[in-house]
Amino acid sequence: MVITESCGWFALCVHILLRFHHVAGGADHVNFKTDRLNVLLILADDLRPSLACYGDTVVKSPNIDQLASKSIIFQNAFAQQAVCAPSRTSFLTSRRPDTTRLYDFNSYWRVHAGNYTTLPQYFKSNGYITMSVGKVFHPGIASNRSDDYPYSWSVHPYHPSSLAFERQKVCRGPDGQLHENLLCPVNVSEMPEKTLPDIQNTEEAVQLLKSVHNKKDPFFLSVGYYKPHIPFRYPEEYLKLYPIENMSLAPDPAIPSGLPSVAYNPWTDIREREDVQALNISFPYGPIPKHFQLKIRQNYFAAVSFLDAQVGQLLGTLDDLGLSDSTIVVFTSDHGWSLGEHGEWAKYSNFDVATRVPLIFYAPGLTSPHPKFGPRTFPFIDAFSYTPNRISKGNSVESIVELIDLFPTLADLAALEVPPSCPDQSFHIDLCTEGSSLMDFLNINNVQNDDEAIAYSQYPRPSNIPQKNSDLPHLEDIRIMGYSIRSAEYRYTLWVGFDPSTFHANFQDVHAGELYFIESDPEQDFNMYNSSLHADLFQKFWKHLIP
Ligand SMILES: *[C@@H]1O[C@H](CO)[C@@H](O)[C@H](O)[C@H]1NC(C)=O
Ligand SMILES: *[C@@H]1O[C@H](CO)[C@@H](O)[C@H](O)[C@H]1NC(C)=O
Ligand SMILES: *[C@@H]1O[C@H](CO)[C@@H](O)[C@H](O)[C@H]1NC(C)=O
Ligand SMILES: *[C@@H]1O[C@H](CO)[C@@H](O)[C@H](O)[C@H]1NC(C)=O
Ligand SMILES: *[C@@H]1O[C@H](CO)[C@@H](O)[C@H](O)[C@H]1NC(C)=O
Ligand SMILES: *[C@@H]1O[C@H](CO)[C@@H](O)[C@H](O)[C@H]1NC(C)=O
């Protein structure tokens, strides 16, 4: 443990005494110890808040729920762009996509936009040992084919070897043959290397925790899991948690009549898989046959439960190594995923289902009373044999927050200086934040709420009519940008002309608008946009977006 190693036996005794005193003094007395806490940042890939701790009644996620029971749960957290690389670059630098200028997968911010300091880099420069396991930065060009090593990480980022099989013919179809399918429950012992990327991720993370837990310096470990991103390749036993007869369609599976064509994402990546191709679904609007929609939902949820088991093992290791009382844990995802809502699938849109993410902060002594000696904080829970109501609910915050808030919040929690807010023109400023610290929300004795808060997201399109590259246009093909604001009352999106050579958005050139009122239309199916009726909202929006 960090504290004991650096101070020796005497300090250990004092620490124990103080803690004993603290426990004896009453469990509701919160003594938040900020110095030299470790950080464990757990990222999921394409995970919307389909978790029991977010009120989902179908999904079995006992280990994440248990973490949430000792945490602050942000019920309304939003990603800045609903696709992997832009979202990750955005929240890891705490800048919006318009400042990273990354809307696709094809540029590295340090040379393309500005030499922005990243979240792990900031911890590294403050004496932390920083480590990356799996998908933290988006791999490839977006992180200079190095996951931004050595700037962000003290040791070489780890990538699981079995990731190489993710897009190969390893999924056994109903015909008994191996295919490159969307739905891919597998017998792990029949997989190449007899493992899966997320299993390897957990093993590596456990090894790293063992190697650093008694070092003098604190650690910042980020573990980026690959699920529930497609293909849904996971151990087949998790299917048993979701009998197909228990599955239901999205509450709003039809494409709403008021949905502008530019807002629709045609889920091109799903169509490429062999099992989906065999369905001969028409482009761009489908629909996917109902029986297959149910299967996609079933497989997504099964992949979530597999992910949950990985998280459970990782958190159990914190207990094993005595780290649960000295480690901040954050669980989140890069963005959400449509499961048939509005006739849409995958990410690539501005709707809540694509932009909303789980965001859970555990800070020992702050979001929950300091763990006591003896009982485990995060005992592993087996999804196949647990009683859901046994897991107590955590404290929820309803305020709208953004993923770019993660960086300043973690800095604040770790008692590092919070980076200053960025000025309007921040292209050449290495260290500043476009988010804000959420520290005020994290004290269970005084949970705050901010009804006025809003979140900004955006999505680019090459054209008004859905085409093959509408989900993920390259920068040079972008012609329209959908700017979206989400308040507690509404989601308001304007699709405006965009010039990819100057990065200029032209708000005189409105291609379409969307306005959904959250209370009466939580699924966002009834587009109330009318430029003359809602001039006041439009003005508010305009004021923020035009410097
Ligand atoms: C970018 O910043 C890093 C440290 O944050 C520094 O080592 C590097 O030299 C900088 N690169 C440029 C081009 O300024
Ligand atoms: C990106 O990687 C290349 C090849 O390793 C390296 O030469 C270059 O300096 C890196 N870019 C930055 C900004 O560090
Ligand atoms: C998984 O594959 C192994 C090796 O082929 C086999 O022994 C085992 O019975 C399979 N398990 C199931 C549940 O089919
Ligand atoms: C399926 O639904 C039935 C009826 O609601 C329920 O009793 C059963 O527990 C469900 N099965 C699973 C595995 O959740
Ligand atoms: C696929 O659908 C198209 C019309 O949507 C139809 O013309 C074609 O025959 C179908 N192909 C197969 C193999 O079913
Ligand atoms: C907006 O609403 C007003 C009042 O109902 C109506 O007169 C006008 O035609 C509408 N405008 C559009 C663009 O639908």
Side-chain angles (χ1 to χ4, degrees), residues 20 36 47 124 129 151 184 202 244 298 336 367 384 406 439 466 520 539:
F20 213 79
R36 310 293 272 175
L47 177 66
K124 186 178 174 218
I129 303 167
Y151 303 112
C184 193
T202 304
I244 195 76
Q298 175 195 38
T367 64
F384 294 89
L406 182 62
M439 193 71 170
S520 55
Q539 286 300 327

mmCIF file of all heavy atoms in Angstrom, residues 20 36 47 124 129 151 184 202 244 298 336 367 384 406 439 466 520 539:
data_model
loop_
_atom_site.group_PDB
_atom_site.id
_atom_site.type_symbol
_atom_site.label_atom_id
_atom_site.label_comp_id
_atom_site.label_asym_id
_atom_site.label_seq_id
_atom_site.Cartn_x
_atom_site.Cartn_y
_atom_site.Cartn_z
ATOM 1 N N PHE A 20 -9.092 3.191 12.867
ATOM 2 C CA PHE A 20 -9.878 2.554 13.908
ATOM 3 C C PHE A 20 -10.730 3.603 14.601
ATOM 4 O O PHE A 20 -11.920 3.450 14.808
ATOM 5 C CB PHE A 20 -8.936 1.873 14.916
ATOM 6 C CG PHE A 20 -9.537 0.638 15.486
ATOM 7 C CD1 PHE A 20 -9.531 -0.539 14.748
ATOM 8 C CD2 PHE A 20 -10.141 0.656 16.739
ATOM 9 C CE1 PHE A 20 -10.113 -1.677 15.249
ATOM 10 C CE2 PHE A 20 -10.724 -0.486 17.238
ATOM 11 C CZ PHE A 20 -10.705 -1.663 16.499
ATOM 12 N N ARG A 36 -2.186 11.130 -2.502
ATOM 13 C CA ARG A 36 -1.579 9.960 -3.113
ATOM 14 C C ARG A 36 -2.526 8.782 -3.282
ATOM 15 O O ARG A 36 -2.147 7.627 -3.092
ATOM 16 C CB ARG A 36 -0.354 9.519 -2.297
ATOM 17 C CG ARG A 36 0.627 10.633 -1.974
ATOM 18 C CD ARG A 36 1.316 11.161 -3.178
ATOM 19 N NE ARG A 36 2.523 10.396 -3.481
ATOM 20 C CZ ARG A 36 3.276 10.599 -4.560
ATOM 21 N NH1 ARG A 36 2.934 11.506 -5.439
ATOM 22 N NH2 ARG A 36 4.343 9.880 -4.776
ATOM 23 N N LEU A 47 -20.755 0.848 -24.504
ATOM 24 C CA LEU A 47 -21.720 0.454 -23.461
ATOM 25 C C LEU A 47 -22.652 1.604 -23.113
ATOM 26 O O LEU A 47 -22.234 2.610 -22.552
ATOM 27 C CB LEU A 47 -20.987 0.004 -22.195
ATOM 28 C CG LEU A 47 -21.883 -0.355 -21.010
ATOM 29 C CD1 LEU A 47 -22.736 -1.584 -21.303
ATOM 30 C CD2 LEU A 47 -21.055 -0.560 -19.742
ATOM 31 N N LYS A 124 1.052 11.242 -14.906
ATOM 32 C CA LYS A 124 2.458 10.820 -15.033
ATOM 33 C C LYS A 124 3.381 11.972 -14.625
ATOM 34 O O LYS A 124 4.340 11.781 -13.875
ATOM 35 C CB LYS A 124 2.722 10.399 -16.481
ATOM 36 C CG LYS A 124 4.095 9.796 -16.710
ATOM 37 C CD LYS A 124 4.263 9.360 -18.163
ATOM 38 C CE LYS A 124 5.686 8.901 -18.410
ATOM 39 N NZ LYS A 124 6.183 9.316 -19.728
ATOM 40 N N ILE A 129 2.726 6.334 -11.634
ATOM 41 C CA ILE A 129 3.081 5.310 -12.613
ATOM 42 C C ILE A 129 1.821 5.092 -13.445
ATOM 43 O O ILE A 129 0.783 4.689 -12.916
ATOM 44 C CB ILE A 129 3.464 3.981 -11.917
ATOM 45 C CG1 ILE A 129 4.605 4.194 -10.931
ATOM 46 C CG2 ILE A 129 3.812 2.918 -12.953
ATOM 47 C CD1 ILE A 129 4.812 3.001 -9.988
ATOM 48 N N TYR A 151 4.289 9.699 -24.101
ATOM 49 C CA TYR A 151 3.787 10.899 -23.409
ATOM 50 C C TYR A 151 2.856 10.529 -22.260
ATOM 51 O O TYR A 151 2.971 11.060 -21.154
ATOM 52 C CB TYR A 151 3.049 11.823 -24.391
ATOM 53 C CG TYR A 151 3.894 12.253 -25.568
ATOM 54 C CD1 TYR A 151 3.613 11.807 -26.855
ATOM 55 C CD2 TYR A 151 4.987 13.105 -25.381
ATOM 56 C CE1 TYR A 151 4.390 12.200 -27.931
ATOM 57 C CE2 TYR A 151 5.771 13.505 -26.460
ATOM 58 C CZ TYR A 151 5.472 13.044 -27.728
ATOM 59 O OH TYR A 151 6.248 13.425 -28.788
ATOM 60 N N CYS A 184 -21.838 -13.917 -31.750
ATOM 61 C CA CYS A 184 -20.692 -14.821 -31.698
ATOM 62 C C CYS A 184 -20.445 -15.386 -30.296
ATOM 63 O O CYS A 184 -19.357 -15.228 -29.740
ATOM 64 C CB CYS A 184 -19.465 -14.070 -32.226
ATOM 65 S SG CYS A 184 -18.053 -15.095 -32.595
ATOM 66 N N THR A 202 -7.927 -8.535 -18.258
ATOM 67 C CA THR A 202 -8.040 -8.658 -16.803
ATOM 68 C C THR A 202 -6.769 -9.286 -16.232
ATOM 69 O O THR A 202 -6.224 -8.815 -15.229
ATOM 70 C CB THR A 202 -9.265 -9.503 -16.425
ATOM 71 O OG1 THR A 202 -10.418 -8.910 -17.029
ATOM 72 C CG2 THR A 202 -9.460 -9.562 -14.925
ATOM 73 N N ILE A 244 -34.261 -16.204 -24.884
ATOM 74 C CA ILE A 244 -34.781 -15.378 -25.981
ATOM 75 C C ILE A 244 -36.242 -14.995 -25.740
ATOM 76 O O ILE A 244 -36.674 -13.906 -26.099
ATOM 77 C CB ILE A 244 -34.570 -16.078 -27.356
ATOM 78 C CG1 ILE A 244 -34.762 -15.087 -28.514
ATOM 79 C CG2 ILE A 244 -35.480 -17.291 -27.525
ATOM 80 C CD1 ILE A 244 -33.629 -14.144 -28.740
ATOM 81 N N GLN A 298 -30.259 -9.663 -27.090
ATOM 82 C CA GLN A 298 -29.831 -10.756 -26.216
ATOM 83 C C GLN A 298 -28.301 -10.856 -26.171
ATOM 84 O O GLN A 298 -27.692 -10.973 -25.097
ATOM 85 C CB GLN A 298 -30.429 -12.055 -26.765
ATOM 86 C CG GLN A 298 -29.997 -13.322 -26.072
ATOM 87 C CD GLN A 298 -30.348 -14.562 -26.890
ATOM 88 O OE1 GLN A 298 -30.251 -14.557 -28.123
ATOM 89 N NE2 GLN A 298 -30.774 -15.613 -26.206
ATOM 90 N N GLY A 336 -22.659 5.393 -26.159
ATOM 91 C CA GLY A 336 -23.697 4.374 -26.044
ATOM 92 C C GLY A 336 -23.876 3.562 -27.313
ATOM 93 O O GLY A 336 -22.929 3.429 -28.112
ATOM 94 N N THR A 367 -17.257 8.917 -1.499
ATOM 95 C CA THR A 367 -18.525 8.456 -2.065
ATOM 96 C C THR A 367 -19.131 7.340 -1.213
ATOM 97 O O THR A 367 -20.269 6.952 -1.425
ATOM 98 C CB THR A 367 -18.338 7.937 -3.496
ATOM 99 O OG1 THR A 367 -17.488 6.791 -3.480
ATOM 100 C CG2 THR A 367 -17.723 9.000 -4.381
ATOM 101 N N PHE A 384 -24.700 -15.768 -12.230
ATOM 102 C CA PHE A 384 -25.588 -16.921 -12.401
ATOM 103 C C PHE A 384 -26.290 -17.312 -11.095
ATOM 104 O O PHE A 384 -27.189 -18.140 -11.101
ATOM 105 C CB PHE A 384 -24.796 -18.121 -12.945
ATOM 106 C CG PHE A 384 -24.291 -17.872 -14.339
ATOM 107 C CD1 PHE A 384 -23.049 -17.283 -14.550
ATOM 108 C CD2 PHE A 384 -25.072 -18.189 -15.446
ATOM 109 C CE1 PHE A 384 -22.592 -17.031 -15.840
ATOM 110 C CE2 PHE A 384 -24.617 -17.940 -16.732
ATOM 111 C CZ PHE A 384 -23.375 -17.358 -16.929
ATOM 112 N N LEU A 406 -14.325 14.314 -16.911
ATOM 113 C CA LEU A 406 -13.566 13.251 -16.245
ATOM 114 C C LEU A 406 -12.155 13.707 -15.829
ATOM 115 O O LEU A 406 -11.724 13.461 -14.695
ATOM 116 C CB LEU A 406 -13.474 12.050 -17.203
ATOM 117 C CG LEU A 406 -12.765 10.807 -16.720
ATOM 118 C CD1 LEU A 406 -13.468 10.208 -15.510
ATOM 119 C CD2 LEU A 406 -12.731 9.776 -17.853
ATOM 120 N N MET A 439 -16.393 17.476 -8.586
ATOM 121 C CA MET A 439 -16.122 17.209 -7.163
ATOM 122 C C MET A 439 -17.316 17.565 -6.270
ATOM 123 O O MET A 439 -17.608 16.842 -5.314
ATOM 124 C CB MET A 439 -14.899 18.034 -6.752
ATOM 125 C CG MET A 439 -14.319 17.652 -5.432
ATOM 126 S SD MET A 439 -13.489 16.042 -5.537
ATOM 127 C CE MET A 439 -12.677 16.041 -3.949
ATOM 128 N N PRO A 466 -28.862 9.273 -46.165
ATOM 129 C CA PRO A 466 -27.904 8.256 -45.691
ATOM 130 C C PRO A 466 -27.223 7.532 -46.849
ATOM 131 O O PRO A 466 -27.889 7.105 -47.794
ATOM 132 C CB PRO A 466 -28.786 7.288 -44.889
ATOM 133 C CG PRO A 466 -30.011 8.047 -44.545
ATOM 134 C CD PRO A 466 -30.209 9.058 -45.627
ATOM 135 N N SER A 520 -41.954 14.413 -21.859
ATOM 136 C CA SER A 520 -43.087 13.798 -22.559
ATOM 137 C C SER A 520 -42.624 12.785 -23.603
ATOM 138 O O SER A 520 -43.402 11.959 -24.059
ATOM 139 C CB SER A 520 -43.924 14.893 -23.229
ATOM 140 O OG SER A 520 -43.096 15.670 -24.075
ATOM 141 N N GLN A 539 -31.900 30.687 -30.168
ATOM 142 C CA GLN A 539 -30.999 31.787 -29.809
ATOM 143 C C GLN A 539 -29.977 31.342 -28.764
ATOM 144 O O GLN A 539 -28.791 31.610 -28.889
ATOM 145 C CB GLN A 539 -31.794 32.972 -29.258
ATOM 146 C CG GLN A 539 -32.562 33.743 -30.327
ATOM 147 C CD GLN A 539 -31.642 34.322 -31.377
ATOM 148 O OE1 GLN A 539 -30.528 34.696 -31.073
ATOM 149 N NE2 GLN A 539 -32.107 34.353 -32.614
#
